[in-house]
Amino acid sequence: MPEAPPPRLDEIDALLLDLLQHDADRTLHDLGERVGLSPSAVQRRIARYRRDGLITRQVAVLDPHRLGPTVLATVLVTLDQESFEHHRAFAARMRADAQVQQCYRVAGPWDYVVVLASRSMRDCGRAGDRLFKADDNIRRYETLLVFDTVKTGLALPPPLP
Amino acid sequence: MPEAPPPRLDEIDALLLDLLQHDADRTLHDLGERVGLSPSAVQRRIARYRRDGLITRQVAVLDPHRLGPTVLATVLVTLDQESFEHHRAFAARMRADAQVQQCYRVAGPWDYVVVLASRSMRDCGRAGDRLFKADDNIRRYETLLVFDTVKTGLALPPPLP
DNA sequence: CGTCCGGACGCAATAATCTTGCATGCCCGA
DNA sequence: TCGGGCATGCAAGATTATTGCGTCCGGACG
């Protein structure tokens, strides 16, 4: 079991991680200046975050509407049969689909919240059909079309001290 | 008005952007090999994406549960007064709060979908109080606690050819 | 049909950044 | 008080990114 206890982080770690979560292509020199460390010390800390699996990857964030027409939607989904196997199959399908940006299994009357990214309204409808309508194990789903993205990102709040 | 028309992209651009969206710290050499270009050609394309605002930033993605105990939730929110000013104020508050990871304004009976990240269940409750309960312009909100993250990321599907 | 021009390319030199070996200093436990 | 482990800064050394230059298309125009 590779489930190591979360490594403990000092204040500099919190600072560094916060910086990296918002802008990961600063130089080690720049980062070092901001947190009061030398570039090599910063480099070693970051290497440790990677080893520990704390930083899983680094990604480029695109502006959806610069890429062309874009339609975002959040979809609330309730499965019919709740068996383990059905859940597994549903999750696998979400993971495999390029238009599914995020998918969370949630508590309450809805089973899943899905964030869908499409290139047109029509494309969005077809994604919904493909992902939810074609699946006869889905009891109900509701599509909430996104008018406006107020805030986006994957940043996590700093650990409680 | 800095709203230039979306620059047109060839197949190599689509490939590159897809690679960068999923793993942005490959070397130019590596990227070049995968798309069949020299490192410098890749570099110039990426520089152009940045200039055009297509790539807005590069971020490190953290594993929530490696950082310590983590509670995620999606919150559905309906405002009371729908005035422009009330919406602006709400949006500003979402953007300013570190525990709000994402916030979308949506169509339908709900006005907003909010993704909340907290360090404990208690913390989550307090965030909900702070963000939604203390605001007397919120008619109703519903918190969907996240059991499991099936898929995460901010990747967009490739443009239609 | 020929020429010109803009844009993208590869290569190679240069510049910037990252990585690592080493010696030092600090904190903690014996 | 005396180690041992660990993080640090500094200074090479290695990798990677950037840029200047000459070339090669492909379209516009004479």
Side-chain angles (χ1 to χ4, degrees):
Chain A
M1 175 84 92
E3 205 48 62
R8 63 197 178 321
L9 306 172
D10 62 21
E11 195 172 330
I12 290 184
D13 290 315
L15 259 167
L16 265 181
L17 289 168
D18 191 56
L19 286 168
L20 292 171
Q21 280 193 107
H22 292 283
D23 180 2
D25 45 22
R26 300 177 185 283
T27 64
L28 298 176
H29 177 83
D30 180 5
L31 291 168
E33 244 171 24
R34 289 170 195 266
V35 304
L37 283 181
S38 72
S40 53
V42 173
Q43 196 273 344
R44 280 186 265 250
R45 282 186 186 238
I46 295 177
R48 183 162 60 79
Y49 305 150
R50 294 185 185 287
R51 273 204 321 278
D52 293 348
L54 216 164
I55 290 183
T56 60
R57 62 200 171 119
Q58 214 164 305
V59 302
V61 180
L62 305 190
D63 179 340
H65 299 287
R66 283 285 190 196
L67 198 56
T70 301
V71 175
L72 294 175
T74 64
V75 187
L76 309 173
V77 182
T78 300
L79 296 194
D80 198 353
Q81 307 258 349
E82 286 272 359
S83 84
F84 183 79
E85 193 49 43
H86 281 114
H87 276 286
R88 209 196 46 72
F90 179 82
R93 210 137 43 74
M94 295 302 109
R95 269 191 291 264
D97 197 293
Q99 297 199 220
V100 174
Q101 190 180 77
Q102 302 166 51
C103 175
Y104 303 98
R105 188 164 69 88
V106 298
W110 298 106
D111 288 333
Y112 292 91
V113 174
V114 179
V115 177
L116 217 58
S118 311
R119 298 261 64 100
S120 69
M121 203 63 101
R122 184 152 177 278
D123 190 30
C124 181
R126 300 204 308 133
D129 292 351
R130 176 177 74 244
L131 289 166
F132 310 119
K133 200 157 283 179
D135 184 340
D136 65 358
N137 187 49
I138 283 169
R139 181 193 303 274
R140 177 149 172 274
Y141 73 97
E142 203 171 302
T143 304
L144 282 54
L145 287 170
V146 170
F147 283 140
D148 195 28
T149 299
V150 174
K151 184 174 189 175
T152 188
L154 296 174
L156 297 166
L160 294 175
Chain B
M1 174 85 92
E3 204 50 63
R8 62 199 180 316
L9 307 171
D10 62 21
E11 196 172 330
I12 291 184
D13 290 316
L15 258 167
L16 265 180
L17 289 168
D18 191 57
L19 286 168
L20 292 171
Q21 279 193 108
H22 292 283
D23 180 2
D25 45 23
R26 301 176 185 284
T27 64
L28 298 176
H29 178 82
D30 180 3
L31 291 167
E33 246 172 22
R34 289 171 195 265
V35 304
L37 283 181
S38 73
S40 52
V42 172
Q43 197 273 341
R44 281 185 263 248
R45 283 186 185 237
I46 295 177
R48 183 163 59 81
Y49 305 151
R50 293 185 186 288
R51 272 206 320 279
D52 293 346
L54 215 163
I55 291 183
T56 60
R57 61 199 173 123
Q58 217 166 301
V59 303
V61 180
L62 272 48
D63 180 341
H65 299 288
R66 285 285 192 197
L67 198 58
T70 301
V71 175
L72 295 176
T74 64
V75 186
L76 307 174
V77 182
T78 299
L79 297 194
D80 198 350
Q81 308 257 348
E82 286 274 358
S83 85
F84 183 78
E85 193 47 44
H86 281 114
H87 276 285
R88 210 196 47 74
F90 179 82
R93 210 136 45 73
M94 295 302 110
R95 270 192 289 266
D97 197 294
Q99 297 200 216
V100 174
Q101 192 180 77
Q102 300 165 52
C103 176
Y104 304 98
R105 187 164 70 89
V106 297
W110 297 106
D111 288 332
Y112 292 91
V113 175
V114 179
V115 177
L116 217 59
S118 311
R119 300 263 63 100
S120 70
M121 201 62 101
R122 182 151 177 280
D123 190 30
C124 182
R126 299 204 307 133
D129 292 349
R130 177 179 70 244
L131 290 165
F132 310 117
K133 198 157 285 179
D135 183 340
D136 64 359
N137 187 48
I138 283 170
R139 182 194 302 275
R140 180 149 171 273
Y141 73 96
E142 204 172 301
T143 303
L144 283 55
L145 288 169
V146 170
F147 283 141
D148 195 28
T149 298
V150 173
K151 184 176 189 174
T152 188
L154 296 175
L156 297 167
L160 294 178

